[in-house]
Amino acid sequence: MNKFMKKMTAVIMTFALAVTAVLVSASNTMVVKAATSSKVYINPYSERVVTYKPGNEATSFSGVISISGCNKKSEIKKLKSDNKNIKVEARDGYISVRYGKKACKANITCTVKGVKLKTTFTVKKYSNPLKAFKIGKTNFKSKYNKINSYRQTKSFKNQTFTIQTNSGWKIKSVSLTQNGKFKYYYPNSSKFSAKISLTKDYDDIGMIIKNEKTGVSEYISFTKVKYIY
C-alpha cells in the first residue's frame, strides 16, 4: 500500500469515527411506528442535514440513510420523498439520497418488514464556518467561502496553525498528516492551535466542524500537494 493510500485510509477512518461521535447527539427528526420497531429503525448516525457547496464543480450530490434490521433493497417498500429536488432509491440496507445545488427539505417514508419509517432530509447552502484559519501569518479563511477543501503547493515548516470558528460552530476533531505520520485531536471547542510542518506531498489538515444549532457538520481540509492539475 503506497503512502497516498495509507493516508486516505487513515483519514477516512478518522472521519467516520468523528462523524459517529458528532451525530450521536444530533436532533434529526425520526419517527418509527409499529410494535416491532425496536428491530427495524433508521440508524440515528445517518447524516440527514447536509450542505451543497457553491464552489463545487459537481451539480449532483448523494447521501446515505442506513436502516438497521434491513439487508436487502427488496425489503424497502413504498419508498417516497415528498420533494422532487431530493430523490431516493432503495439499496441493500440503506436509502440512497440524491440532491443538487438547492436548499430544500424532504420527508422520506418507507416500509421495511411491515414497519413504517419516516425521517427528514435537509439540504442547506454551505456557509464558511471559519473566523480564522492561519498558518504562521497567512490567513486562509477566504479560501473556504464557497468550498470546504483547499489544495496548495507551498510548504510550511514548524509553523503555528491556528483555527477559530464563527459563532455557533465547534471543532469536533482535527487530524494532522505530517510526513506520513498522523496525529488526532478532539477539542470540542471554537479554537484550536498546534505546531505543524506540511512539507511532503499530501501532508494535510482535516477537521470536522459542527454547528450545534443546525446540526450541520462540515469536513474542512487543507492539503499540501506537489502539483495542482
Side-chain angles (χ1 to χ4, degrees):
M1 184 181 292
N2 61 34
K3 183 185 295 185
F4 174 70
M5 291 303 298
K6 288 181 179 179
K7 174 247 180 302
M8 290 304 297
T9 300
V11 169
I12 291 169
M13 291 178 65
T14 303
F15 180 68
L17 289 171
V19 167
T20 298
V22 169
L23 294 177
V24 70
S25 61
S27 58
N28 294 318
T29 303
M30 178 176 69
V31 179
V32 181
K33 299 178 181 179
T36 58
S37 61
S38 61
K39 294 183 180 180
V40 177
Y41 56 91
I42 292 175
N43 190 325
Y45 301 138
S46 294
E47 191 173 11
R48 283 161 286 159
V49 182
V50 299
T51 62
Y52 69 90
K53 281 70 177 177
N56 196 313
E57 294 180 357
T59 57
S60 180
F61 309 91
S62 63
V64 170
I65 299 175
S66 63
I67 303 175
S68 294
C70 174
N71 297 311
K72 300 177 181 179
K73 66 179 182 180
S74 60
E75 295 173 334
I76 304 174
K77 310 289 187 181
K78 300 178 181 179
L79 176 60
K80 293 181 181 179
S81 164
D82 67 358
N83 191 320
K84 65 180 181 180
N85 295 304
I86 297 178
K87 302 183 184 302
V88 292
E89 184 178 350
R91 299 290 176 85
D92 290 339
Y94 67 94
I95 300 168
S96 174
V97 185
R98 296 198 66 83
Y99 56 96
K101 289 184 175 181
K102 184 175 183 179
C104 52
K105 182 177 181 179
N107 292 305
I108 297 172
T109 56
C110 66
T111 300
V112 178
K113 297 180 180 179
V115 179
K116 295 181 180 179
L117 305 177
K118 179 180 179 181
T119 190
T120 59
F121 191 90
T122 303
V123 181
K124 297 176 178 289
K125 184 178 180 179
Y126 168 83
S127 63
N128 190 342
L130 304 174
K131 186 175 183 178
F133 186 120
K134 292 183 178 181
I135 300 179
K137 295 181 179 180
T138 305
N139 194 344
F140 293 93
K141 170 193 168 183
S142 63
K143 302 298 183 181
Y144 299 91
N145 285 342
K146 295 183 178 181
I147 201 71
N148 63 320
S149 61
Y150 177 65
R151 297 187 305 157
Q152 53 83 59
T153 58
K154 182 179 178 180
S155 294
F156 297 90
K157 189 172 183 179
N158 296 325
Q159 295 291 310
T160 299
F161 160 59
T162 303
I163 182 173
Q164 184 174 357
T165 63
N166 287 320
S167 177
W169 294 84
K170 282 191 176 182
I171 307 159
K172 294 296 181 177
S173 69
V174 179
S175 64
L176 302 179
T177 305
Q178 302 172 91
N179 196 21
K181 297 180 180 179
F182 311 102
K183 289 185 178 180
Y184 308 103
Y185 305 87
Y186 302 94
N188 195 31
S189 172
S190 62
K191 296 180 180 180
F192 177 81
S193 182
K195 281 284 188 180
I196 63 168
S197 291
L198 304 179
T199 59
K200 303 295 183 181
D201 202 20
Y202 294 107
D203 278 357
D204 80 348
I205 302 166
M207 298 165 290
I208 293 179
I209 302 176
K210 182 185 177 185
N211 188 303
E212 301 289 349
K213 183 177 180 179
T214 65
V216 171
S217 293
E218 298 290 0
Y219 181 70
I220 305 294
S221 66
F222 181 99
T223 307
K224 159 71 173 74
V225 293
K226 191 173 183 178
Y227 305 106
I228 295 178
Y229 300 98

